């Protein structure tokens, strides 16, 4: 799963998401005393999901034109909340080639929430993701090296290490910069 790192948030989506469609993120302001005896007032306020309203999403094909989705959940934005509902048991590796796909936010009493955790919760054994924005060409080179390493190694961590070394060797051989920005962005978790 990848994107072109061209923008931070999709316009009009901040504070809106939900599995199965778009809905506003509820903000609880407490129960007024005048409603304390009504049946609705005794029901607890719905818990706000820590996944909602966060910068935890991937832009897929069609995300730049949400009007083509016809108003359904196929808007081209894949959120972490949607990922955790997938059944990815038996998935060896999820590779997220998007910029900062390994970035996450610390949520009190929940730990770090991000795409890595979402894919692990959905059942993926290992997740390979980037820690910072990466250039498209550098990502392409690195991904080619990663998939070339796949048949030769058993773990995602070993494949990441081998891909990084291969890209670094290739860059040195061609006299290109060897700054870690171009070969060290991706890391693996799990496995």
């Amino acid at each position: 799963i990848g994107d072109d790192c061209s923008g931070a948030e999709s316009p009009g989506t901040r504070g809106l998401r939900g599995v199965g469609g778009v809905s506003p993120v509820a903000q609880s302001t407490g129960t007024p005393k005048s409603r304390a005896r009504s049946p609705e007032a005794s029901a607890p306020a719905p818990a706000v999901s820590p996944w909602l309203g966060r910068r935890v999403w991937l832009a897929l094909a069609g995300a730049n034109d949400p009007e083509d989705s016809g108003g359904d959940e196929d808007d081209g934005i894949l959120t972490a909340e949607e990922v955790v509902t997938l059944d990815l048991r038996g998935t060896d590796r999820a590779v997220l080639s998007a910029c900062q796909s390994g970035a996450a936010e610390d949520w009190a009493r929940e730990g770090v929430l991000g795409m890595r955790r979402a894919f692990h919760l959905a059942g993926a054994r290992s997740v390979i993701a980037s820690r910072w924005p990466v250039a498209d060409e550098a990502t392409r080179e690195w991904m080619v090296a990663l998939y070339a390493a796949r048949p030769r190694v058993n773990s995602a961590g070993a494949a990441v290490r081998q891909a990084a070394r291969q890209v670094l060797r290739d860059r040195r051989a061609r006299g290109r910069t060897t700054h870690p920005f171009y070969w060290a962005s991706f890391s693996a978790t799990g496995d």
Side-chain angles (χ1 to χ4, degrees):
I1 299 173
D3 73 0
D4 67 0
C5 307
S6 60
E9 283 192 16
S10 177
T13 61
R14 180 110 177 121
L16 296 173
R17 284 308 296 155
V19 175
V22 176
S23 62
V25 177
Q27 298 295 325
S28 176
T29 59
T31 304
K33 288 184 180 181
S34 63
R35 296 182 58 210
R37 294 177 201 246
S38 72
E40 299 95 32
S42 62
V48 176
S49 169
W51 301 104
L52 293 176
R54 300 295 194 183
R55 292 183 179 190
V56 183
W57 52 269
L58 296 172
L60 306 174
N64 58 345
D65 196 5
E67 292 182 16
D68 284 348
S69 68
D72 64 11
E73 70 267 13
D74 296 330
D75 59 359
I77 303 293
L78 179 66
T79 66
E81 185 178 36
E82 292 167 330
V83 170
V84 298
T85 67
L86 301 174
D87 182 4
L88 298 179
R89 289 174 291 181
T91 301
D92 184 38
R93 295 179 193 164
V95 179
L96 311 177
S97 64
C99 289
Q100 296 178 305
S101 53
E105 293 188 30
D106 196 6
W107 185 268
R109 295 182 298 275
E110 292 292 334
V112 177
L113 298 178
M115 281 299 191
R116 286 183 192 266
R117 183 168 176 193
F119 274 90
H120 283 298
L121 288 172
R125 280 188 38 215
S126 60
V127 179
I128 298 171
S130 67
R131 294 173 292 197
W132 56 75
V134 290
D136 290 343
E137 182 63 23
T139 299
R140 187 192 65 74
E141 292 170 358
W142 196 90
M143 288 295 158
V144 167
L146 176 70
Y147 286 102
R150 169 95 169 108
R152 297 188 302 263
V153 296
N154 292 329
S155 74
V160 166
R161 183 173 45 254
Q162 192 167 353
R165 288 179 177 172
Q166 183 61 51
V167 169
L168 184 56
R169 274 192 299 273
D170 291 348
R171 294 187 76 81
R172 281 183 181 144
R174 292 186 178 111
R176 296 166 72 194
T177 180
T178 58
H179 191 282
F181 174 83
Y182 296 99
W183 57 269
S185 175
F186 293 92
S187 62
T189 56
D191 215 29

